[in-house]
Amino acid sequence: MGPHFLQLPEEILLLVLSYLDGRALGRLGQVCRKLRYFSCRDAVWRRIARRCLNSGFVRQGTDVASGIPVKERVRVSQNWKNGRCRRDILLKWKRNLMPWLQVDGDVLYFTQAEEIRAHQLHGHRHGLHKRPFAVFLGHQEDVCRFVITDSHIISGGGDGKIALHNLHSTASIQFTAHEQDVNCVDCHGGIIVSGSRDRTARVWSLSSTADKRWLHTIQTEDRVWSVAINPLLSSFVTGTACCHHTSPLRIWDLQSGQLMNCLGTEFRRGAGVLDVCYETPSILLSCGYDTYIRCWDLRTSLRRCVNEWEEPHDSALYCIQSDGNNMIASGSSYYGVIRLWDKRMNRCLQSFSLSSPTSSPVYCLRFNTSHLYAVLATSLHRLDFTVYRNQFTAL
C-alpha cells in the first residue's frame, strides 16, 4: 500500500474502506495506527452490519442500537450466528408458573403469579439485582400478558381484568374487561386491544379507561390467544385457537371494529396462533401450535404467506421475536428450546436447550443486540453473546 493512499481526503478513504469485508478490515487495522483508527470507524462497518444478524439495523435502515460501536456489534453478531454464548440462570422459584417478560432499557419486567416485578439489569458479570425495585399489583389471579408504554404497564389477568400500572408510582387502576381470562393485550398510540378466552376482543382508549367503556367488541367465535396493533394504528390482528373452520389469523379495522381480511386458508383444526408481531406495518410474523413460524406480506390484496420456517422437532412455538431485519428467535413447548433463525435460510441456525431433565415451554423471550432473556415454568435464563471473541478481536 503506497504512502499516497493515506493522503487521500478522509471521506474518500472511508468510502474505499467501506467496500472491504470484516477480515480485510481486521488485517488492515494491524498495519499502522492511522489505518487502525480508520478501520474502526462506524462508517466502514455499516454495510457489513446491515447484512449481519441482530446488529441493530432494522429493515428500513434505521439504527436502533446507536451508541454502541458498529464494529463491536458485528463482532457480537458473529457470536449469535455461531451460537457462542454464556448461559446463566438469573432467578429460580418453586411454583410452576406461566411467566411473561419484557425488557425496557436496563430494566427487566416479568410476572410472578399475580405480580409484575421490575429488576435492574447490570453488565454481563452481575446479571440483575435479585430483589425487585418495584412490584406492580392489581390482579386477583395470575397475570397472563402485559405490555409497557412510556408511562404505564398494561396487563391482562386470569381474573378477566385489565390493570393500568403507573411506572413511576406503582399506583394502578383495574377494571373488568372480559368474562374470562384476558389472554393477551397490546397498546400503541393510546389504544389498547385485549383478547380473551371468552371469544371476544375489545378495543379501548387509554385516555378513557376510567369510565371502563370499550370502543368496540369483536366477536371472534373462538378463544383469542394473541393480538397485535399495526404500527400505523389502522388495524390490529387477532390470533385464535382455530377450533372452527375459520382462519385463526384475522385483521380488523381499528376505527370501526369490522373484519378486513383473513390470513391463510389451510390451517388444520387446533392450529392456534400463540404469538404475533409486526416487523413493519406491512410484514407480520406468527407462530403457534402448528409448529411453523410464518411471515405474511400485507401489502397486496391477497395478504399471503411469503415464507415459513418449520420447528424441526414438531413442537408448538409459544413465542417469537424479530430483530427487524434478518433474525428471528423462537421459544418451543418442550425442554426450554430456543432457536435462532436466519430468514435467508430454510433451516434453523442455532438451538439452545435451557431445561433439563424437567421439560418446560419457553413462555416468553426477549433479546437486544447482546443478550437474550427467557422465562420457563420455574426459572429466568440469560444468554450472553458478548463474552466470546472471534476474528475481530484484534480490531
Side-chain angles (χ1 to χ4, degrees):
M1 182 180 295
H4 299 296
F5 179 75
L6 295 178
Q7 298 175 5
L8 291 172
E10 179 176 323
E11 60 271 17
I12 301 299
L13 189 58
L14 291 175
L15 178 63
V16 172
L17 296 186
S18 70
Y19 287 96
L20 300 180
D21 61 20
R23 189 175 297 275
L25 286 170
R27 292 172 177 171
L28 192 65
Q30 298 175 2
V31 173
C32 65
R33 289 183 179 180
K34 187 170 184 179
L35 283 177
R36 179 181 176 84
Y37 167 75
F38 282 109
S39 66
C40 291
R41 298 283 292 274
D42 285 354
V44 305
W45 287 93
R46 286 196 182 98
R47 184 179 61 88
I48 300 172
R50 288 191 176 96
R51 299 196 304 267
C52 291
L53 297 178
N54 195 27
S55 64
F57 289 92
V58 300
R59 183 171 299 178
Q60 297 90 339
T62 306
D63 184 358
V64 298
S66 57
I68 304 174
V70 178
K71 179 199 71 176
E72 172 65 13
R73 284 185 263 162
V74 172
R75 182 190 74 78
V76 176
S77 174
Q78 296 300 308
N79 291 336
W80 287 90
K81 178 181 178 180
N82 297 312
R84 294 191 291 250
C85 65
R86 186 176 68 187
R87 309 184 192 190
D88 299 303
I89 299 177
L90 300 180
L91 290 172
K92 284 187 175 183
W93 49 90
K94 295 181 179 180
R95 296 169 55 190
N96 282 334
L97 301 173
M98 297 176 64
W100 195 251
L101 169 72
Q102 297 287 355
V103 177
D104 184 22
D106 60 353
V107 179
L108 183 144
Y109 302 84
F110 76 103
T111 61
Q112 285 282 273
E114 69 278 1
E115 302 178 352
I116 301 174
R117 299 181 180 181
H119 292 258
Q120 194 75 38
L121 289 170
H122 292 290
H124 67 273
R125 296 288 182 186
H126 305 289
L128 84 170
H129 273 304
K130 304 299 183 183
R131 184 183 297 275
F133 69 85
V135 177
F136 301 89
L137 302 171
H139 292 280
Q140 280 70 54
E141 296 187 30
D142 289 5
V143 177
C144 298
R145 299 276 180 102
F146 69 93
V147 292
I148 299 175
T149 68
D150 292 336
S151 57
H152 287 85
I153 298 175
I154 296 97
S155 60
D159 52 8
K161 293 183 178 181
I162 289 177
L164 277 64
H165 314 273
N166 190 304
L167 276 175
H168 308 295
S169 68
T170 70
S172 65
I173 61 172
Q174 309 86 33
F175 55 91
T176 299
H178 292 270
E179 295 178 0
Q180 298 184 40
D181 307 27
V182 181
N183 292 324
C184 48
V185 291
D186 195 14
C187 182
H188 193 72
I191 297 295
I192 301 172
V193 175
S194 59
S196 172
R197 185 182 289 270
D198 67 6
R199 303 182 179 185
T200 65
R202 282 179 171 162
V203 181
W204 314 74
S205 172
L206 185 60
S207 60
S208 62
T209 49
D211 59 11
K212 306 174 185 178
R213 287 183 173 270
W214 55 86
L215 303 178
H216 307 295
T217 296
I218 290 92
Q219 300 293 334
T220 62
E221 301 178 356
D222 210 344
R223 291 166 292 175
V224 184
W225 292 134
S226 54
V227 295
I229 300 174
N230 189 294
L232 296 180
L233 294 178
S234 58
S235 61
F236 68 95
V237 62
T238 57
T240 58
C242 200
C243 292
H244 302 287
H245 297 292
T246 55
S247 168
L249 273 173
R250 281 172 280 179
I251 298 176
W252 310 83
D253 185 88
L254 200 56
Q255 300 301 319
S256 66
Q258 297 298 309
L259 178 65
M260 296 175 62
N261 219 302
C262 296
L263 302 182
T265 58
E266 298 181 356
F267 290 92
R268 68 177 185 267
R269 184 179 176 87
V273 176
L274 294 175
D275 200 9
V276 288
C277 65
Y278 281 95
E279 273 197 331
T280 71
S282 58
I283 300 296
L284 178 74
L285 297 175
S286 67
C287 72
Y289 284 116
D290 68 349
T291 76
Y292 280 89
I293 300 171
R294 288 190 168 89
C295 179
W296 305 87
D297 190 339
L298 309 181
R299 287 173 290 190
T300 67
S301 59
L302 295 177
R303 290 167 171 79
R304 61 191 181 90
C305 176
V306 294
N307 213 339
E308 59 184 25
W309 300 270
E310 184 178 11
E311 213 288 330
H313 291 165
D314 200 33
S315 299
L317 296 175
Y318 273 53
C319 54
I320 51 174
Q321 186 187 345
S322 167
D323 70 345
N325 194 13
N326 296 317
M327 192 184 84
I328 302 172
S330 64
S332 302
S333 58
Y334 296 113
Y335 293 103
V337 173
I338 291 173
R339 298 193 191 278
L340 305 183
W341 307 81
D342 186 334
K343 291 191 293 185
R344 298 162 294 188
M345 302 169 56
N346 293 324
R347 295 183 178 181
C348 166
L349 182 66
Q350 298 292 338
S351 65
F352 311 90
S353 180
L354 302 183
S355 66
S356 180
T358 304
S359 178
S360 167
V362 178
Y363 288 109
C364 186
L365 59 81
R366 292 291 182 263
F367 63 81
N368 52 32
T369 55
S370 57
H371 297 82
L372 185 148
Y373 302 91
V375 279
L376 278 62
T378 59
S379 52
L380 167 66
H381 296 252
R382 181 189 63 174
L383 303 181
D384 180 358
F385 290 88
T386 66
V387 294
Y388 286 90
R389 315 299 290 183
N390 55 26
Q391 68 264 37
F392 303 124
T393 300
L395 296 185

